[in-house]
């Protein structure tokens, strides 16, 4: 085998020091606000059911599980953190590694660092205020940002893709894709797959325009993309979910958290059906989370922020690998 | 036929796209945190040289194109074909006008070119980056000019016309960059 130099870190020492400083600042921010730092397991016997997320899995055999047990590596610490909230923890935060199968690219690494926090008594709009305060403070030494803006999902599509994402038909999406010379996956034109059409225009037309020199929050997502957010009644009903963008990069995703155990179980089951239909792994759903929700989740909002992407923005890096000591290609 | 999934996409991969062989130029993985993953690809049609953008849902597949680059020595041309030979196997092969295209003007006997074969048939011919060719026609330059500022057109033995410095004369051989069509130096 030829000698290689990929034992060396991908990030410069300067960037690694910036990472450490940002972690310190995050801990100081939450400690000043009385938000408790917690740690929850990376391994779980249950997995996320969302068909758009794939879990990595490993196997433990030994005391307690003499015949071996599959454990899934978490894609976010959301479920155990909600169990802590239901147990009366009050507002909490966590900084941890999370894992996603199949995701690798300029903005993706299969393992990455997530900052996730929950605020009891907040709704998603109040949490957006806090996200803006934290991110502005963290980036202030390196990036001068304009006042943050908030756009509804509908407004963002109207402004940057020229259509209403809640009422547009496949033909409307296709017409915009043609006009913008966006290469369309071949089976999409024949299928009435509105969710994929929205994601195509979101990634190709809308996202690149978001957060230019300022934080842009997108909120009020289609109910079909609610994930673990509450759904607000209305026409159409919309998910109490938000995302944060800066310089075209998706940085955070938050919810006014769904607290209804029955509704949560119904969503998990729908997602498992969708996974089965698409030939994806049908994973065990998290009964302990559902039990905690039945016991009562306090009214809260939560958000997950991609820490590596935040470092990228602070360092002016073009790819996530530039801010990681050892990205997956040298792991 | 072999296929490639989006997970195997990378620059240089040869695939079939809309019935034509094509080479991936650039591949970017894009995915909203809670949404559909796509591969956004810039891809060059190897028949017409045009680069377009395409998007695939991650997990889609494309058929592999039986495309290979081989080094072959240029022998001669008749009116229809340009003939090449593999210097190791002595196997000969003829490339037509579509394959040779504008590069015909850089082809000099004995030069080793890269021939792109599709299903064993020449699809494109790439001359060496630098070729050494004789000037067959150029105006006499002004006496005393050594800087080369300004320059003048010169017709080369293969028919190519390049701008050369004024001091370069008829019958001299020069080095030319075939990618830019620019004079480099006297040979």
């Amino acid at each position: 085998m030829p000698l290689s130099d990929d034992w060396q870190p991908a990030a410069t020492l300067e960037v690694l020091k910036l990472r450490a400083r940002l972690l310190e600042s995050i801990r100081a921010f939450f400690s000043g606000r009385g938000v408790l730092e917690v740690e929850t397991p990376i391994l779980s016997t249950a997995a996320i059911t969302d068909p758009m997320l794939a879990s990595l899995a490993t196997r433990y055999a030994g005391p307690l599980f003499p015949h071996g047990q599959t454990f899934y590596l978490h894609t976010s610490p959301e479920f155990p953190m909600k169990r802590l909230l239901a147990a009366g923890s009050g507002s909490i935060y966590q900084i941890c590694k999370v894992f996603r199968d199949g995701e690798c690219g300029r903005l993706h690494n299969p393992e990455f660092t997530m900052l996730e926090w929950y605020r009891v008594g907040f709704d998603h709009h109040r949490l957006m205020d806090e996200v803006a305060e934290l991110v502005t403070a963290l980036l202030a030494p390196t990036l001068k940002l304009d006042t943050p803006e908030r756009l509804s999902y509908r407004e963002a599509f109207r402004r940057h893709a020229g259509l209403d994402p809640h009422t547009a038909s496949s033909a409307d999406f296709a017409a915009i894709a043609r006009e913008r010379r966006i290469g369309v996956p071949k089976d999409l034109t024949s299928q009435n797959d509105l969710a994929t059409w929205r994601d195509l225009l979101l990634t190709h037309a809308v996202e690149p325009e978001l957060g230019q020199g300022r934080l842009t929050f997108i909120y009020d997502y289609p109910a079909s993309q609610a994930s673990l957010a509450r759904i607000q009644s209305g026409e159409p009903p919309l998910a109490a979910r938000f995302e944060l963008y800066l310089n075209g990069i998706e940085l955070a995703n938050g919810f006014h958290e769904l607290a209804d155990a029955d509704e949560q179980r119904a969503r998990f089951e729908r997602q498992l059906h969708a996974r089965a239909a698409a030939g994806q792994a049908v994973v065990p759903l998290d009964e302990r989370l559902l039990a905690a929700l039945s016991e009562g989740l306090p009214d809260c909002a939560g958000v997950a922020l991609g820490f590596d992407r935040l470092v990228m923005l602070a360092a002016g890096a073009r790819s996530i690998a530039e801010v990681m000591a050892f990205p997956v290609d040298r792991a | 036929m072999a296929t490639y999934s989006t997970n195997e996409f990378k620059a240089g991969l040869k695939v079939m796209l809309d019935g034509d062989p094509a080479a991936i130029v650039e591949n970017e993985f894009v995915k909203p945190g809670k949404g559909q993953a796509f591969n956004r690809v810039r891809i060059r049609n190897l028949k017409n040289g045009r680069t377009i953008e395409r998007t695939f849902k991650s997990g889609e597949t494309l058929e592999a194109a039986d495309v290979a680059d081989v080094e072959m020595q240029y022998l001669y041309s008749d009116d229809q074909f340009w003939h090449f030979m593999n210097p190791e196997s002595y196997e000969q092969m003829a490339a037509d006008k579509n394959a040779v295209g504008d590069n015909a003007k850089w082809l000099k006997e004995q030069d080793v070119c890269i021939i792109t074969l599709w299903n064993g048939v020449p699809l494109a011919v790439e001359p060496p980056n630098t070729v050494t060719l004789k000037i067959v026609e150029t105006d006499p330059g002004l006496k005393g000019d050594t800087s080369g500022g300004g320059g003048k057109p010169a017709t080369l033995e293969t028919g190519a016309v390049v701008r050369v410095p004024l001091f370069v004369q008829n019958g001299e051989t020069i080095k030319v960059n075939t990618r830019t069509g620019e004079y480099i130096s006297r040979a």
Side-chain angles (χ1 to χ4, degrees):
Chain A
M1 235 183 95
L3 288 174
S4 69
D5 63 359
D6 67 1
W7 62 268
Q8 291 183 326
T12 62
L13 189 57
E14 195 186 340
V15 167
L16 295 179
K17 285 178 177 169
L18 173 66
R19 274 187 86 100
R21 275 202 305 279
L22 289 170
L23 287 172
E24 265 173 50
S25 306
I26 290 168
R27 291 197 159 98
F29 179 90
F30 287 114
S31 145
R33 290 173 182 227
V35 180
L36 179 70
E37 178 164 13
V38 297
E39 290 181 284
T40 57
I42 283 170
L43 300 179
S44 171
T45 52
I48 185 117
T49 52
D50 190 328
M52 295 305 178
L53 292 171
S55 300
L56 289 161
T58 189
R59 212 165 161 77
Y60 167 83
L64 219 56
F65 297 99
H67 305 295
Q69 167 69 42
T70 297
F71 280 89
Y72 297 90
L73 282 66
H74 66 178
T75 60
S76 110
E78 178 150 13
F79 296 173
M81 286 182 85
K82 282 182 172 165
R83 285 161 61 191
L84 289 175
L85 289 157
S89 65
S91 296
I92 49 176
Y93 79 99
Q94 176 161 205
I95 300 168
C96 61
K97 281 292 186 78
V98 298
F99 305 83
R100 296 185 180 185
D101 197 11
E103 301 190 6
C104 195
R106 188 170 70 84
L107 296 175
H108 296 82
N109 193 67
E111 70 171 294
F112 60 100
T113 301
M114 187 170 265
L115 162 64
E116 183 149 331
W117 78 97
Y118 291 85
R119 285 299 230 146
V120 174
F122 280 31
D123 67 4
H124 56 302
H125 283 282
R126 200 166 155 208
L127 187 56
M128 280 185 245
D129 292 338
E130 188 167 72
V131 173
E133 283 168 49
L134 172 65
V135 174
T136 304
L138 292 174
L139 294 177
T142 43
L143 271 183
K144 178 90 192 78
L145 297 175
D146 290 339
T147 318
E149 66 173 345
R150 284 182 203 192
L151 292 177
S152 69
Y153 186 86
R154 168 183 275 151
E155 187 62 33
F157 269 77
R158 277 192 181 148
R159 198 177 285 185
H160 300 301
L163 51 66
D164 183 331
H166 303 302
T167 57
S169 65
S170 291
D172 297 333
F173 282 110
I176 296 290
R178 254 197 317 279
E179 186 188 305
R180 307 282 176 99
R181 297 176 180 280
I182 294 169
V184 175
K186 63 174 182 303
D187 51 351
L188 193 53
T189 319
S190 56
Q191 290 170 349
N192 193 34
D193 183 354
L194 294 175
T196 303
W197 273 117
R198 284 190 203 106
D199 281 344
L200 183 75
L201 287 199
L202 179 73
T203 49
H204 288 61
V206 181
E207 282 187 341
E209 304 298 327
L210 297 178
Q212 293 308 326
R214 57 160 54 158
L215 302 179
T216 299
F217 289 94
I218 305 295
Y219 64 95
D220 281 355
Y221 277 70
S224 61
Q225 295 177 35
S227 208
L228 296 114
R230 295 181 184 201
I231 292 178
Q232 307 156 125
S233 54
E235 195 41 51
L238 296 170
R241 175 183 159 195
F242 69 89
E243 294 250 3
L244 169 61
Y245 288 88
L246 179 56
N247 293 345
I249 294 176
E250 181 192 359
L251 204 51
N253 173 66
F255 307 133
H256 191 189
E257 301 293 344
L258 177 66
D260 180 334
D262 295 334
E263 165 67 13
Q264 188 63 72
R265 181 182 292 279
R267 283 192 205 172
F268 281 165
E269 279 167 358
R270 268 203 305 279
Q271 290 183 330
L272 285 176
H273 280 121
R275 291 180 80 94
Q280 294 172 285
V282 177
V283 292
L285 56 80
D286 196 333
E287 289 293 350
R288 293 191 177 102
L289 169 69
L290 293 171
L293 294 183
S294 314
E295 200 67 30
L297 181 75
D299 187 14
C300 66
V303 61
L305 185 149
F307 177 70
D308 310 274
R309 290 186 183 175
L310 185 79
V311 181
M312 270 181 74
L313 290 162
R318 215 191 88 80
S319 80
I320 200 165
E322 289 168 50
V323 301
M324 294 182 154
F326 302 112
V328 69
D329 62 345
R330 17 186 119 189
Chain B
M1 193 66 199
T3 58
Y4 294 118
S5 89
T6 53
N7 286 339
E8 294 168 277
F9 283 10
K10 60 177 180 187
L13 193 73
K14 310 287 197 304
V15 293
M16 293 300 297
L17 188 71
D18 306 329
D20 283 347
I24 291 178
V25 178
E26 204 179 300
N27 168 48
E28 184 165 32
F29 177 82
V30 289
K31 181 183 186 300
K34 306 230 174 256
Q36 173 68 48
F38 298 108
N39 286 67
R40 194 171 178 174
V41 172
R42 293 196 340 110
I43 191 163
R44 190 163 57 89
N45 181 312
L46 293 173
K47 267 182 142 173
N48 60 28
R50 264 185 234 123
T51 300
I52 58 164
E53 190 183 303
R54 272 294 174 89
T55 294
F56 301 89
K57 284 205 274 184
S58 294
E60 279 187 53
T61 56
L62 283 179
E63 199 182 299
D66 179 11
V67 172
D69 288 340
V70 292
E71 286 192 345
M72 293 190 103
Q73 200 171 43
Y74 173 57
L75 298 178
Y76 65 96
S77 86
D78 50 43
D79 278 346
Q80 275 185 309
F81 292 99
W82 284 256
H83 298 270
F84 295 85
M85 181 182 73
N86 184 323
E88 278 158 30
S89 65
Y90 304 111
E91 180 197 1
Q92 290 196 17
M93 206 163 257
D96 65 12
K97 178 118 196 72
N98 286 330
V100 176
D102 284 345
N103 286 327
K105 67 182 180 205
W106 303 120
L107 295 182
K108 189 188 170 192
E109 288 84 356
Q110 316 290 313
D111 276 358
V112 175
C113 302
I114 293 172
I115 313 284
T116 302
L117 301 177
W118 177 38
N119 297 328
V121 177
L123 182 68
V125 172
E126 213 177 288
N129 280 330
T130 306
V131 290
T132 302
L133 296 170
K134 189 171 173 182
I135 296 174
V136 295
E137 194 189 330
T138 190
D139 287 339
L142 294 169
K143 264 215 157 67
D145 181 287
T146 53
S147 69
K152 59 184 177 179
T155 307
L156 310 179
E157 59 184 308
T158 53
V161 177
V162 297
R163 284 200 80 75
V164 298
L166 297 177
F167 61 79
V168 176
Q169 300 303 334
N170 234 343
E172 289 192 75
T173 50
I174 59 167
K175 285 186 183 171
V176 183
N177 179 333
T178 60
R179 301 301 181 262
T180 61
E182 283 166 9
Y183 166 89
I184 299 170
S185 65
R186 280 170 161 157

